[in-house]
């Protein structure tokens, strides 16, 4: 839902922009970790207060993956340390946080060295943090007092039609939910030897891997993060030499392997890092190599976990596989 009042809030004076809108002043594009950063947080709090918002929902959370592009060095814990009672596991799509924790997430995003997410209240409020200290606040109310307060803080609010970071629905593709039918199919695939590992993407940029057997499927399901995206893969190969001989001459691959203790691990590597990857995987019990290129990375099937009431509220989608398309066609009216 597009909210009617959208404001770009920055430290950049509009008077210091050229005819194309590019900033020509002297403000730095990174956070000062001080008074200016605090002013951003006070401004967001003012908009939230005038809108009547006390809690925010985390949407589409992400963390830097193998190639962080932030302007500041990465930090341990992605800036999430101490923010969630359950630890970083509490940072998931749909998690509700009080406003003060939401402001700490805004701080982390302003520092551009860790976690990122949209912070929203459906139909009422949204905060999106973009590159270079650009913050976008959307509200169901005009927030005249918050606008005045933002100016008092030395920041510059400007009216927009929409936030450039608003979530955009992709083309209408029927998304398979990770419901009882999905897990029943997974039980059959594991029993017949077609499936053996599950990739759980609980945050954009971060995955966990699970070994699937008849005995582990239900515990794995119970331990998944809310609204996680799932990808089912064939069993790992015990022929480690054959797996490693399939390494390409160059490119980006993900090695997935099982240690002696049964733990599934993974690492992403390019040709410069292949020797280290080979060293790690050569001691594995079983392993596989997966391409990092979308057209070549095709699991057996995918799904997204619904909420506890069975409703699929996650907005992100998986890349449909041939099996997913077959399932989607079965959902069409006869």
């Amino acid at each position: 839902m597009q909210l009617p009042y959208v404001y770009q809030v920055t430290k950049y004076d509009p008077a210091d922009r050229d005819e194309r809108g590019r900033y020509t002043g002297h403000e730095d594009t990174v956070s000062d970790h001080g008074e200016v950063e605090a002013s951003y947080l006070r401004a967001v709090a003012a908009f939230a207060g005038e809108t009547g918002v006390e809690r925010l929902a985390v949407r589409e959370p992400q963390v830097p993956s193998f190639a962080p592009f932030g302007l500041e060095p990465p930090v341990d814990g992605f800036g999430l340390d101490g923010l969630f009672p359950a630890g970083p596991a509490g940072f998931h799509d749909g998690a509700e946080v009080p406003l003060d924790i939401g402001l700490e997430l805004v701080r982390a995003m302003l520092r551009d060295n860790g976690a990122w997410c949209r912070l929203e209240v459906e139909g009422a409020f949204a905060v999106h943090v973009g590159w270079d200290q650009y913050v976008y606040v959307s509200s169901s109310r005009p927030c005249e007092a918050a606008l005045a307060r933002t100016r008092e803080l030395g920041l510059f609010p400007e009216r927009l039609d929409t936030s450039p970071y608003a979530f955009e629905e992709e083309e209408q593709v029927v998304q398979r939910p990770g419901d009882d039918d999905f897990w029943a199919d997974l039980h059959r695939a594991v029993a017949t030897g077609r499936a053996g590992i599950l990739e759980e993407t609980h945050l954009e940029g971060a995955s966990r891997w699970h070994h699937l057997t008849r005995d582990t499927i239900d515990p794995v399901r119970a331990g998944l993060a809310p609204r996680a995206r799932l990808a089912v893969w064939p069993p790992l190969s015990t022929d480690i030499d054959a797996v490693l001989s399939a390494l390409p001459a160059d490119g980006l691959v993900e090695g997935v392997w099982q240690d002696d203790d049964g733990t599934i691990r993974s690492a992403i590597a390019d040709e410069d890092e292949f020797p280290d990857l080979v060293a790690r995987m050569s001691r594995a019990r079983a392993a596989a190599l997966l391409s990092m290129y979308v057209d070549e990375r095709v699991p057996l099937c995918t799904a997204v976990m619904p909420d506890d009431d069975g409703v699929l509220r996650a907005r992100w989608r998986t890349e449909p596989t041939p099996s997913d398309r077959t399932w989607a066609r079965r959902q069409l009216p006869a």
Side-chain angles (χ1 to χ4, degrees):
M1 175 183 176
Q2 174 62 47
L3 294 169
Y5 301 97
V6 181
Y7 302 101
Q8 173 183 279
V9 176
T10 73
K11 59 184 177 180
Y12 308 117
D13 190 336
D16 294 327
R17 296 187 183 277
D18 63 20
E19 64 278 2
R20 296 183 179 180
R22 293 178 298 191
Y23 180 68
T24 59
H26 302 291
E27 288 284 353
D28 202 341
T29 56
V30 298
S31 175
D32 68 342
H33 293 224
E35 188 56 37
V36 176
E37 179 183 273
S39 293
Y40 273 105
L41 303 188
R42 295 187 187 107
V44 172
F47 280 100
E50 194 166 352
T51 308
V53 166
E54 296 180 351
R55 298 185 67 83
L56 296 162
V58 171
R59 302 308 310 268
E60 295 81 43
Q62 59 184 260
V63 294
S65 57
F66 58 92
F69 295 105
L71 294 177
E72 299 194 31
V75 293
D76 292 339
F78 306 113
L80 300 173
D81 288 349
L83 297 188
F84 295 89
F91 185 58
H92 61 77
D93 188 73
E96 286 198 358
V97 297
L99 180 59
D100 61 334
I101 298 301
L103 294 176
E104 289 305 313
L105 289 171
V106 171
R107 185 195 305 276
M109 290 186 277
L110 285 169
R111 295 183 179 184
D112 195 26
N113 59 0
W116 187 91
C117 66
R118 298 176 176 89
L119 292 167
E120 301 181 356
V121 178
E122 186 173 358
F125 189 72
V127 180
H128 305 146
V129 179
W131 295 100
D132 299 338
Q133 309 289 286
Y134 281 74
V135 175
Y136 303 89
V137 181
S138 304
S139 177
S140 58
R141 304 178 184 178
C143 297
E144 296 294 343
L147 288 169
R149 176 60 175 152
T150 299
R151 296 185 184 102
E152 290 174 359
L153 290 165
L155 301 177
F156 301 92
E158 300 173 67
R159 183 78 182 269
L160 299 178
D161 292 330
T162 186
S163 164
Y165 291 87
F167 185 83
E168 294 185 7
E169 292 284 352
E170 299 178 4
E171 61 176 298
Q172 292 301 312
V173 176
V174 178
Q175 173 63 62
R176 184 170 191 180
D179 55 13
D180 290 343
D181 289 342
F182 170 84
W183 289 95
D185 286 347
L186 185 55
H187 268 280
R188 287 189 286 270
V190 169
T192 58
R194 291 184 295 115
I197 54 174
L198 179 73
E199 180 185 10
E200 173 199 3
T201 302
H202 56 298
L203 301 171
E204 189 69 51
S207 294
R208 294 190 285 245
W209 291 87
H210 307 279
H211 183 217
L212 298 177
T213 68
R214 295 181 183 183
D215 295 330
T216 63
I217 292 177
D218 291 338
V220 165
R221 179 183 183 181
L224 294 174
R227 302 186 183 180
R229 288 178 291 178
L230 311 178
V232 178
W233 296 90
L236 299 175
S237 171
T238 57
D239 190 343
I240 304 300
D241 290 339
V243 171
L244 296 178
S245 68
L247 267 173
D250 54 31
L252 203 59
V253 300
E254 182 169 15
V256 183
W257 67 93
Q258 184 180 31
D259 284 343
D260 284 338
D261 63 2
T263 303
I264 305 293
R265 305 187 187 278
S266 73
I268 297 170
D270 61 18
E271 57 273 14
D272 293 332
E273 299 161 318
F274 284 173
D276 181 59
L277 182 64
V278 168
R280 298 175 70 182
M281 294 179 66
S282 63
R283 300 186 296 271
R285 179 189 300 177
L289 292 174
L290 304 177
S291 173
M292 290 301 295
Y293 303 107
V294 173
D295 293 345
E296 302 172 359
R297 189 182 177 95
V298 183
L300 297 174
C301 62
T302 68
V304 175
M305 289 299 293
D307 290 346
D308 289 341
D309 60 4
V311 178
L312 183 59
R313 294 187 178 89
R315 298 185 299 205
W316 50 24
R317 297 289 180 259
T318 58
E319 188 69 27
T321 69
S323 175
D324 297 335
R325 295 188 182 95
T326 298
W327 172 88
R329 285 194 293 271
R330 294 202 303 265
Q331 311 311 305
L332 297 174

